[in-house]
Amino acid sequence: MTQTPTIAFVDDDSALQKVAVEGIRGFNAALFPDHPQGQDLAIAIHDPETHEPVGGLCGRTAGGWLAINLLFVPDALRGMGLATRLIAMAEDEAKRRGCHAAWLDTLNPQALPLYQRLGYQIFGELKDYPAGNNRFFLQKKLSTIA
């Protein structure tokens, strides 16, 4: 007889994240066998002295879409066009990988106009996240490379 699994909260979720991501990606590969496998995408901003990453963009291309999951530019480096450059680099790579569109989300009211200037359009809004503010979901059509 098989034992019933236990369910519990964990403090360190790194092992759980690995299991969940691998499980979901495996399930999706079986569900959509004719689609190319997704690929992570990461672009770092490096400190010029230490060469350590201090910010950047993390995302993934899958299903013909670029998902920008994280975008961070440190306060001291803001206003230099780095976010615009990161997004342009990610979009160019996504097009190279055959993506036709991109999406991202933000709860930063200062970032929202930037994304809109870059051609992203709001397709969803989660009100009161965090309480008193809103989280916006944006998408953009990318021209694919022939």
Side-chain angles (χ1 to χ4, degrees):
M1 184 167 144
T2 304
Q3 289 187 324
T4 302
T6 59
I7 299 175
F9 289 100
V10 294
D11 292 327
D12 178 3
D13 72 345
S14 55
L16 174 58
Q17 290 268 348
K18 186 176 187 317
V19 167
V21 166
E22 288 175 3
I24 290 169
R25 288 180 181 170
F27 179 84
N28 288 343
L31 188 62
F32 304 107
D34 297 332
H35 289 270
Q37 187 174 0
Q39 214 177 342
D40 290 333
L41 184 147
I43 308 165
I45 301 170
H46 291 103
D47 180 285
E49 294 176 13
T50 66
H51 305 290
E52 292 295 317
V54 295
L57 181 149
C58 295
R60 184 165 176 81
T61 56
W65 284 77
L66 162 65
I68 298 175
N69 300 322
L70 301 169
L71 177 61
F72 175 70
V73 176
D75 288 342
L77 301 178
R78 291 189 182 156
M80 300 171 66
L82 295 174
T84 299
R85 288 176 51 200
L86 288 167
I87 292 170
M89 289 174 68
E91 290 175 355
D92 287 345
E93 178 61 16
K95 287 188 279 189
R96 190 187 70 70
R97 295 180 185 184
C99 292
H100 63 85
W103 76 275
L104 56 81
D105 67 271
T106 186
L107 48 87
N108 180 345
Q110 295 171 334
L112 183 60
L114 167 67
Y115 300 142
Q116 291 174 311
R117 278 195 307 276
L118 296 177
Y120 286 80
Q121 297 177 335
I122 296 170
F123 71 88
E125 181 179 359
L126 183 61
K127 295 192 183 293
D128 283 326
Y129 184 88
N133 295 290
N134 299 322
R135 182 175 186 174
F136 294 95
F137 297 83
L138 300 99
Q139 64 183 355
K140 176 181 179 179
K141 175 95 173 112
L142 302 175
S143 59
T144 56
I145 298 172

